[in-house]
Amino acid sequence: MGERTLKQFRDILSKKPHFHEEFLTNTCRNLVAGKKDFVIVDGGANTGWHTMRFARMPGCACVYAIEADPHILEKLRATIEKWYNSRDYCELVVVEQALQDDPQKNSIEWHSSPSHPGRASIASLGEGSQTIHSHDPAVAYRDAFSVEAPTIDT
């Protein structure tokens, strides 16, 4: 298949908007093919699209669906309530936290968007730095709030 440039990837996405969803699911499926009792961490689980697909992978023991945004968390729980059954899916654990890489911190400031559900990010760290999507005037944000955020290995 060869390497794809970011521009080529964007071109594919403009023609087939859910290509990245299929790509991620297929990539994960290929990585765990033939393995048993593996665990998947779905960091930024959003509404659970990948969470539910990961939980059906043969050999999966558990999926940790990590979502920091309390507004999106309701939708994640609704997705799980609607589709989950223990006969067809592995164990599913919902964790209401963000993930970050500083072991000295246990929380971070969080932004979420009421105008564009699923667009959320940590608050900017210092002047001149931007939060995700801050350059897009169409994206409104709620006031920043603090969320629990351990490192993935704690």
Side-chain angles (χ1 to χ4, degrees):
M1 181 166 114
E3 283 189 36
R4 293 188 190 261
T5 66
L6 183 56
K7 182 185 179 325
Q8 289 170 318
F9 191 68
R10 285 182 182 145
D11 289 344
I12 290 169
L13 287 178
S14 70
K15 294 176 185 119
K16 190 176 178 186
H18 296 289
F19 170 79
H20 67 289
E21 305 289 359
E22 295 169 28
F23 178 80
L24 179 61
T25 300
N26 290 336
T27 299
C28 290
R29 201 171 268 133
N30 291 338
L31 286 171
V32 299
K35 294 186 168 70
K36 298 284 182 204
D37 298 324
F38 59 88
V39 173
I40 293 180
V41 175
D42 186 3
N46 203 323
T47 61
W49 198 91
H50 291 296
T51 301
M52 300 310 293
R53 280 151 186 80
F54 294 154
R56 287 192 71 147
M57 288 182 180
C60 185
C62 184
V63 173
Y64 287 90
I66 301 173
E67 180 53 54
D69 191 327
H71 310 315
I72 299 299
L73 196 66
E74 296 170 24
K75 294 176 183 177
L76 171 61
R77 288 193 168 118
T79 298
I80 293 168
E81 178 72 26
K82 181 176 181 179
W83 296 105
Y84 180 81
N85 69 68
S86 59
R87 186 185 73 242
D88 297 328
Y89 294 84
C90 70
E91 181 182 2
L92 248 171
V93 177
V94 176
V95 180
E96 187 175 355
Q97 295 178 332
L99 295 173
Q100 52 86 30
D101 64 354
D102 184 347
Q104 302 302 313
K105 293 183 179 180
N106 57 16
S107 67
I108 58 173
E109 292 301 304
W110 190 260
H111 286 279
S112 70
S113 173
S115 65
H116 291 73
R119 288 195 181 180
S121 69
I122 61 171
S124 295
L125 300 174
E127 276 190 53
S129 62
Q130 295 184 336
T131 38
I132 299 169
H133 307 294
S134 65
H135 61 283
D136 186 347
V139 180
Y141 280 100
R142 294 174 177 91
D143 288 337
F145 53 95
S146 182
V147 295
E148 190 176 339
T151 58
I152 198 166
D153 56 351
T154 53

